[in-house]
Amino acid sequence: MSDPSSILSNIIAGFATAGTPENLMFGIFGVVLGTAVGILPGLGPAVAISLLLPLTFGLDPTSAFIMFGGIYYGAMYGGATTAILVNTPGSASAAVTTFDGHPLAKKGRAGTALLTAIIGSFIGGTFATLMLMLMAPTLVEVALKFGPPEYFALMLLALVLVASVGNDKFSKAVFATLLGIGIGMIGIDLQTGVVRFSFGVPELYSGVNVVLAAIGLFAVGEAFWISSGGGNSDDKNFTESGKRMSMNHAEWVRSGWAWTRGTVIGFFVGVLPGSGGTLASFMAYGVEKKLSKHPEKFGSGIVEGVAAPEASNNAAAGGSMVPLLALGIPGSATTAVMLVAFQMYGLQPGPLLFENSGDLVWALIASLYITNVLLVILNLPLVGVWAKLLELPPALIYSAVLVFSTLGAYSLKGSLGDVGIVYVLGLLAVILRKFQFPIAPVLLGILLGPLIEQEFRRSLSISGGDFSILVTRPLAAVFLLIALASIVGSIFSSKTGLRVSKKPATVVAD
Amino acid sequence: MKLQNHTSIFSALKAIQHAWVLISAIFLLTPQMSLASDSTGWIPKKSVTIIAPSNPGGGWDQTARFIQRAVQAENLIPTSVEVINRGGAGGTIALSELVERYKGNPHKLMICGFGLSSAALMQESEYSLLSATPIARLTGEYQSIAVPANSKYQTLEQLLTDFAKNPAAISWAGGSAGGSDQIFIVQTAMAMGIPTKHVNYVAFTGGGEAAAALMGEQVTAGISGYSEFEPLVQSGRIRLLGISAEDRRLDENLPTLKDAGVDIVFQNWRGLVAPPGLTPKERAFLIETVTKATTSQSWQEALARNNWQDSFLAGDEFAEFIDTDRIKTRAVLAGMGLENSAESASIGPYFFSKIIGFAMLISAAFFTWPAIQARSVTNIRLNNPTKTDNEPTFPRLAITGLAFIIYIFVLHFSGFLIATPIFIFAMSRLIGSKAWVRDLIVAFCLTGAIYVIFEYLLKVSVP
């Protein structure tokens, strides 16, 4: 598999299998469905694939997986559309895209934002597929080196890097992050089975997960903000937004760097089991801002603020295929469903899959390239159509957002309890915004808090209660040092009004 | 030449078949099943739903889908069969839904298993599996013990000897607390006379993550179902040491715990239950259908491929089994005293939360102190560059909140189609629309469109 010429001949054969008109049809269907579920809050690629599973029994595995690949990549892009246009991300991994995507739309440049998102998604997905093809076995070795202490340090670093993504007051960002971590602790504790902070409400036993949080804090939060008197519905630029879909030379260059960095970060975060697209997009945004010459412009609507996270979440989707194909371990909810699909076809992902069903694997890889191209071809013409959405009166847009959010939350477990959670988070978001607290760190806390806590406690279990395990492992120590430097930098810069800490962030990008 | 003709006809047929699948995929409609025998006097009139009480992926989901496939392949029921996922709280959320909401509904079936029974006990939930109607036990899976390929442990005896000597030094990776992996190792420890609080169990979110930790040599040993570990052995990264089976029938090279001198046989079983309050005829039909499905070729292939044991047990016998199993599990749970086990002495479930709470107070002090000093908040909302934004007001926020509470209640009592148009209309008013007629029309059209999209295209049921 590592021999370049055999890779070439294999992938050509793969393209021959995947490129039949019939398979292309499945690819197109997958991308369209994926984009649709990406747009709808609450529904994601995992749900879409599991809905289609029973129908694919009669299909050739190749056709089925081409469709699934299309759904996965399509969904990762789809969430960006509504994030940019109406400030309501369709999926958690597009939450970051609202930071600069929506301000761009307000400036009348929704077309530009969608353009950089689409190209970013394409680059992220394509590069991830290339890496998957060339170095899956090597990457797996690296991923396995990550034990609980390394995960703990990495997640902590991610939290620190990203908690300061907004331009808000540092102490308020910290408070919002901690609040998110606290909300993330609600529910059954994984290590002991103890039910925490649920006040006897069974609906809270399974906790507030990141999907609910993204719907509540962002989609419902935005609609509530508008309905309780916020917003600027009479902005003329905004409604004319879709007509222009251009970037100037400097923006192409800046997007180019953002796509590249976002892709690399997203891919590696995706390879690590259990982290996923949301973390990838947050980290890409955080790093992009740390490296930028004008970090203060982030949040005001600049292209790299959209380019980086959108490239990153698609690259993460590709990255999560690495542990699935090379080890048979699902790294995300979507790949967990794909694993079931493999097993229903009598295939066992893992090193032997390449030997036993090489044709299928290469066809799958080829189809991932194809679905990426389809993603661009299908979605570019749609940009104008989407932008038309802005011509609708806000009353209708946000009513629809609320109804879709309600159904999205309901569809997860079929419980009105989740709908209640989403609304409570929506109210929380409005109150926090009213008092100038940033919302994104709350989501980040909900996402990362439980991971940090569990990895911390796993580390201590493994070491028998010895805290030194967190600093004696080299990789973990490096991550912690960067995190520490970043905190010091943030405190320093918030005191003096400067934004520094450029050096530590560079290390991360490497 | 003739052969070529045949192939082209064949491929044309295949293309037609595939096109059909694609078309039905587009509408997400499963073809109607032909009528099966109805010797028991009741047949399903609507599509039958198999609830997997977990998120997509994983054992319960897989079992649900294999049963669905068997029922479809054998045309056992005249209507369609669908699988839905209802994850959360170890399956207890799905269980209470089955018992409360679907009471008396013979069109619902739910996958259950050891883990669900144990989760209900641990959470002291209102319902147990016996609150539902037991239909059949389907599969059993033996637990296996594995170590990383480079581990110094070559045999089960070596590992267990060290475990007995210094239990805390051996870390065991497995699924979430109270699941079959942990209960199995705690039972083993109990049988070996090791105090359960010394068992160093490290819980991971799922079998996959536990397996990754094992392969990366992060833990001493791992516990999982034989079917999950067996494929990883082929990759040469882990070594199986033992299995919780009765004998070596499954894998003759793999010693059982009994071989190593520990008298433990453990099976992680899975089965099907139906809602309570079914008529005898309905129950009989479901049992008969499931029995037929499990004798089908499709099901038997699934068992063989996944290394699942056929542990079929129907109706009353299954109910008895659930009862005895539950009593046994309760004893183990009581013995391990969940809050003390599996944790290094310094860290309990509330350690981290206290740190977070403390840190919140400190950060709050940082932004409240200057505000108190200045007595006026002159912050500019930096994160939102358009300063023309109107600020929300609390009375309007309160009205919005109220609208939602009403919406949830109306949804609950009169359903989506009545609640939603009213809600959309009310929200449009609140957002400031003045076009009454347009909003009314839109409210109804939007509701209808959303209903069709979710109910028929996505097959996601609305409240």
Side-chain angles (χ1 to χ4, degrees):
Chain A
M1 198 201 141
S2 47
D3 175 22
S5 68
S6 75
I7 288 181
L8 194 67
S9 62
N10 280 329
I11 194 67
I12 289 170
F15 273 109
T17 321
T20 63
E22 192 191 323
N23 282 342
L24 284 180
M25 284 285 289
F26 282 104
I28 291 173
F29 176 68
V31 170
V32 171
L33 181 70
T35 310
V37 297
I39 289 169
L40 295 174
L43 297 178
V47 175
I49 294 175
S50 65
L51 280 170
L52 284 175
L53 268 184
L55 297 165
T56 53
F57 291 160
L59 280 183
D60 204 45
T62 317
S63 310
F65 281 101
I66 286 171
M67 187 158 71
F68 295 162
I71 291 174
Y72 201 1
Y73 282 139
M76 283 295 164
Y77 160 72
T81 316
T82 42
I84 290 167
L85 297 176
V86 280
N87 209 15
T88 61
S91 53
S93 58
V96 187
T97 308
T98 56
F99 294 178
D100 278 280
H102 192 57
L104 269 171
K106 279 184 173 171
K107 285 189 205 164
R109 303 194 63 201
T112 308
L114 286 168
L115 177 72
T116 194
I118 291 176
I119 300 177
S121 297
F122 170 74
I123 291 177
T126 304
F127 173 80
T129 311
L130 186 74
M131 295 283 279
L132 167 70
M133 180 175 87
L134 296 180
M135 33 189 310
T138 328
L139 287 166
V140 157
E141 298 301 327
V142 178
L144 288 180
K145 289 272 185 299
F146 274 68
E150 284 80 15
Y151 273 110
F152 167 73
L154 179 71
M155 299 296 167
L156 198 64
L157 169 63
L159 190 73
V160 169
L161 263 183
V162 185
S164 53
V165 283
N167 296 322
D168 306 271
K169 211 171 172 207
F170 183 66
S171 59
K172 286 195 167 179
V174 171
F175 183 83
T177 313
L178 293 169
L179 183 66
I181 297 178
I183 295 173
M185 279 185 180
I186 294 173
I188 297 168
D189 172 38
L190 184 72
Q191 295 298 318
T192 57
V194 174
V195 180
R196 296 187 295 184
F197 311 113
S198 297
F199 313 104
V201 182
E203 279 76 16
L204 289 174
Y205 282 9
S206 40
V208 179
N209 68 36
V210 73
V211 180
L212 288 180
I215 304 175
L217 292 170
F218 284 84
V220 174
E222 174 72 11
F224 275 14
W225 180 263
I226 304 283
S227 73
S228 44
N232 50 343
S233 42
D234 46 13
D235 196 326
K236 249 217 172 113
N237 279 333
F238 187 48
T239 49
E240 287 171 359
S241 197
K243 310 228 161 95
R244 274 163 291 164
M245 206 174 83
S246 60
M247 289 196 280
N248 62 34
H249 179 71
E251 283 176 335
W252 277 102
V253 173
R254 295 206 316 266
S255 286
W257 281 110
W259 290 328
T260 315
R261 285 191 283 255
T263 299
V264 174
I265 292 166
F267 181 73
F268 284 103
V269 170
V271 168
L272 299 173
S275 26
T278 310
L279 178 62
S281 58
F282 268 103
M283 278 192 84
Y285 189 91
V287 168
E288 204 55 40
K289 186 172 173 182
K290 290 268 178 199
L291 291 182
S292 172
K293 290 191 191 80
H294 43 79
E296 73 287 348
K297 283 192 185 158
F298 275 77
S300 68
I302 53 175
V303 286
E304 54 265 49
V306 175
E310 280 307 309
S312 188
N313 60 26
N314 276 62
S320 70
M321 303 288 281
V322 171
L324 175 70
L325 292 178
L327 288 176
I329 288 177
S332 64
T334 311
T335 46
V337 183
M338 285 182 149
L339 181 63
V340 173
F342 271 110
Q343 287 166 340
M344 301 220 71
Y345 281 113
L347 302 163
Q348 179 59 47
L352 295 180
L353 184 67
F354 285 86
E355 284 168 35
N356 298 341
S357 327
D359 297 350
L360 172 74
V361 177
W362 288 106
L364 172 63
I365 291 175
S367 72
L368 292 178
Y369 287 112
I370 296 173
T371 48
N372 268 301
V373 177
L374 291 176
L375 183 74
V376 177
I377 295 175
L378 290 174
N379 279 302
L380 269 184
L382 282 179
V383 167
V385 180
W386 284 121
K388 283 244 169 26
L389 209 71
L390 296 175
E391 292 168 18
L392 292 174
L396 300 185
I397 294 179
Y398 292 104
S399 303
V401 164
L402 285 172
V403 175
F404 277 116
S405 301
T406 306
L407 287 179
Y410 180 80
S411 71
L412 292 173
K413 293 198 215 83
S415 105
L416 285 174
D418 282 349
V419 179
I421 291 176
V422 157
Y423 288 163
V424 170
L425 288 174
L427 287 175
L428 177 72
V430 175
I431 294 169
L432 286 174
R433 261 175 90 175
K434 174 101 179 144
F435 290 105
Q436 287 111 43
F437 285 92
I439 306 298
V442 183
L443 179 69
L444 195 73
I446 293 175
L447 169 72
L448 290 179
L451 295 173
I452 290 175
E453 187 201 5
Q454 295 299 330
E455 299 296 359
F456 180 69
R457 289 164 64 194
R458 276 179 202 135
S459 303
L460 287 182
S461 272
I462 289 169
S463 72
D466 183 358
F467 281 79
S468 70
I469 188 173
L470 300 173
V471 289
T472 48
R473 312 222 317 193
L475 214 48
V478 170
F479 289 143
L480 287 179
L481 272 179
I482 301 171
L484 192 68
S486 194
I487 293 179
V488 172
S490 290
I491 292 174
F492 177 70
S493 68
S494 79
K495 281 242 165 73
T496 57
L498 284 169
R499 286 239 149 223
V500 280
S501 69
K502 180 152 183 171
K503 200 175 161 206
T506 325
V507 184
V508 181
D510 294 340
Chain B
M1 192 60 208
K2 215 174 176 188
L3 191 79
Q4 220 170 11
N5 261 341
H6 266 121
T7 16
S8 67
I9 290 170
F10 179 71
S11 64
L13 279 175
K14 217 175 140 192
I16 292 170
Q17 184 213 342
H18 282 195
W20 166 243
V21 176
L22 184 67
I23 290 165
S24 42
I26 289 168
F27 293 101
L28 283 174
L29 294 168
T30 24
Q32 292 289 302
M33 298 294 143
S34 65
L35 211 88
S37 68
D38 54 325
S39 56
T40 54
W42 179 86
I43 50 162
K45 286 147 204 86
K46 301 183 289 187
S47 83
V48 171
T49 310
I50 303 175
I51 302 162
S54 62
N55 294 328
W60 288 341
D61 186 40
Q62 242 180 325
T63 311
R65 290 177 196 284
F66 280 121
I67 276 288
Q68 173 194 33
R69 181 152 81 174
V71 172
Q72 282 184 346
E74 303 288 312
N75 281 346
L76 292 176
I77 56 171
T79 54
S80 63
V81 190
E82 51 194 61
V83 171
I84 59 164
N85 294 89
R86 287 280 179 269
T92 55
I93 289 176
L95 178 63
S96 43
E97 186 185 36
L98 189 81
V99 175
E100 287 171 7
R101 188 167 156 202
Y102 298 132
K103 187 173 181 159
N105 182 345
H107 296 97
K108 305 283 172 189
L109 283 167
M110 188 182 80
I111 300 286
C112 62
F114 177 85
L116 181 45
S117 191
S118 151
L121 282 170
M122 267 177 33
Q123 296 164 22
E124 292 165 358
S125 41
E126 211 177 321
Y127 305 113
S128 77
L129 286 177
L130 292 174
S131 318
T133 308
I135 298 297
R137 186 176 71 186
L138 301 171
T139 64
E141 193 175 357
Y142 295 115
Q143 297 291 100
S144 59
I145 296 175
V147 291
N150 294 333
S151 166
K152 64 174 175 175
Y153 297 109
Q154 295 294 334
T155 67
L156 186 59
E157 277 92 350
Q158 289 170 354
L159 180 67
L160 292 181
T161 311
D162 276 13
F163 184 43
K165 258 189 250 161
N166 186 2
I170 309 281
S171 50
W172 304 90
S176 59
S180 54
D181 300 337
Q182 190 187 17
I183 301 287
F184 162 63
I185 195 62
V186 168
Q187 260 186 347
T188 307
M190 283 166 122
M192 292 170 69
I194 297 167
T196 54
K197 66 175 180 196
H198 290 153
V199 178
N200 187 356
Y201 182 81
V202 189
F204 287 83
T205 323
E209 282 173 41
L214 183 66
M215 290 194 264
E217 301 176 36
Q218 310 293 343
V219 288
T220 322
I223 303 153
S224 191
Y226 178 77
S227 68
E228 284 193 49
F229 272 161
E230 204 265 341
L232 302 176
V233 174
Q234 296 174 351
S235 72
R237 288 176 194 276
I238 65 168
R239 179 163 60 240
L240 278 174
L241 292 187
I243 187 165
S244 66
E246 195 83 44
D247 48 44
R248 295 196 181 196
R249 221 178 313 165
L250 190 61
D251 184 341
E252 58 179 20
N253 297 320
L254 188 61
T256 64
L257 279 154
K258 280 185 163 177
D259 291 339
V262 184
D263 191 18
I264 288 276
V265 172
F266 188 99
Q267 238 188 7
N268 179 12
W269 57 272
R270 294 184 192 129
L272 273 172
V273 291
L278 299 192
T279 66
K281 280 182 177 175
E282 290 162 347
R283 176 171 173 263
F285 176 85
L286 291 175
I287 292 177
E288 194 192 314
T289 307
V290 173
T291 311
K292 278 186 200 155
T294 53
T295 50
S296 72
Q297 199 195 345
S298 145
W299 177 253
Q300 291 299 326
E301 275 173 15
L303 289 179
R305 200 187 289 146
N306 291 296
N307 283 311
W308 290 340
Q309 304 304 299
D310 191 344
S311 65
F312 186 77
L313 202 61
D316 293 337
E317 287 171 89
F318 178 42
E320 270 167 46
F321 165 79
I322 291 177
D323 200 30
T324 35
D325 183 67
R326 193 162 160 264
I327 293 166
K328 242 194 279 178
T329 310
R330 184 163 27 202
V332 178
L333 286 172
M336 61 198 252
L338 273 172
E339 290 179 44
N340 304 322
S341 75
E343 285 293 318
S344 63
S346 53
I347 300 282
Y350 292 104
F351 174 84
F352 215 79
S353 55
K354 281 175 193 154
I355 295 182
I356 297 299
F358 188 63
M360 269 172 92
L361 285 178
I362 294 177
S363 67
F366 269 97
F367 58 76
T368 44
W369 180 244
I372 291 168
Q373 275 190 321
R375 283 260 158 201
S376 67
V377 184
T378 47
N379 282 343
I380 302 159
R381 292 197 47 243
L382 281 169
N383 63 336
N384 214 328
T386 42
K387 285 164 195 123
T388 54
D389 268 18
N390 307 311
E391 284 285 320
T393 57
F394 280 109
R396 292 192 63 171
L397 184 60
I399 296 172
T400 307
L402 199 66
F404 273 87
I405 294 169
I406 294 170
Y407 182 43
I408 294 190
F409 270 95
V410 182
L411 266 182
H412 186 72
F413 291 110
S414 36
F416 181 81
L417 285 175
I418 294 177
T420 306
I422 303 173
F423 174 72
I424 293 178
F425 188 69
M427 281 321 280
S428 305
R429 297 272 75 68
L430 209 53
I431 293 172
S433 163
K434 293 190 177 61
W436 290 81
V437 180
R438 184 199 67 192
D439 288 354
L440 263 180
I441 295 169
V442 167
F444 282 103
C445 293
L446 197 62
T447 308
I450 292 173
Y451 187 77
V452 169
I453 291 174
F454 275 80
E455 197 82 356
Y456 295 105
L457 294 179
L458 294 169
K459 290 247 168 165
V460 176
S461 66
V462 300

